[in-house]
């Protein structure tokens, strides 16, 4: 079965690189959102989603706010979320673990293998 993954990131180049990696190398279907609001909307409409890759640092609504809203909604609360972040401090790792995210991918990442990181984190 083809995996369906939503990529929420305000940087167009990042969205595109991840999309190419997931679709070309893994054979999955990627959906793109450039803001938290758009990500929340697509998480509800592009069903079923197998995972969400969510940027932490975005204007308007950051990844933590988006994650909280995803978890508060019965239609999206069971979708595994992997955070995308440029800076990971030890305190961030503790926060991510407490939040219950599936995993974290740090930027910059290797475009050729980012699909493999998703695969490994989710055990696909």
């Amino acid at each position: 079965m083809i995996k369906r993954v939503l990529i929420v990131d305000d940087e167009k180049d990042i969205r595109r690189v991840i999309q190419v990696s997931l679709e070309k190398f893994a054979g999955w279907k990627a959906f793109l959102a450039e803001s938290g609001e758009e990500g929340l909307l697509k998480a509800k409409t592009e069903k079923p989603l197998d995972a969400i890759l969510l940027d932490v640092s975005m204007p308007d609504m950051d990844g933590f706010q988006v994650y909280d809203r995803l978890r508060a909604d019965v239609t999206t609360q069971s979708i595994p979320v992997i955070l995308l972040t440029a800076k990971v401090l030890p305190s961030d790792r503790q926060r991510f673990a407490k939040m219950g995210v599936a995993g974290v991918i740090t930027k910059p990442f290797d475009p050729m293998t980012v699909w493999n990181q998703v695969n490994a984190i989710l055990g696909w």
Side-chain angles (χ1 to χ4, degrees), residues 106-119:
T106 53
K107 298 175 186 179
F109 49 78
D110 182 344
M112 303 297 278
T113 60
V114 71
W115 71 272
N116 221 355
Q117 287 178 271
V118 173
N119 202 32

Side-chain angles (χ1 to χ4, degrees), residues 7-71:
I7 303 160
V8 184
D9 197 305
D10 60 316
E11 294 179 52
K12 183 179 182 182
D13 292 343
I14 300 272
R15 288 194 309 272
R16 185 75 187 116
V17 163
I18 297 173
Q19 178 185 24
V20 168
S21 182
L22 299 186
E23 292 184 347
K24 198 176 201 107
F25 302 119
W28 303 336
K29 175 76 179 123
F31 300 90
L32 308 178
E34 63 184 49
S35 69
E37 281 297 339
E38 187 182 2
L40 289 168
L41 181 66
K42 288 198 173 176
K44 291 179 191 179
T45 58
E46 297 295 348
K47 290 191 268 199
L49 283 175
D50 295 294
I52 298 172
L53 301 184
L54 177 60
D55 184 23
V56 171
S57 302
M58 294 185 290
D60 301 328
M61 187 187 313
D62 69 19
F64 298 117
Q65 294 167 305
V66 175
Y67 183 79
D68 289 344
R69 298 221 353 227
L70 288 168
R71 287 299 163 258

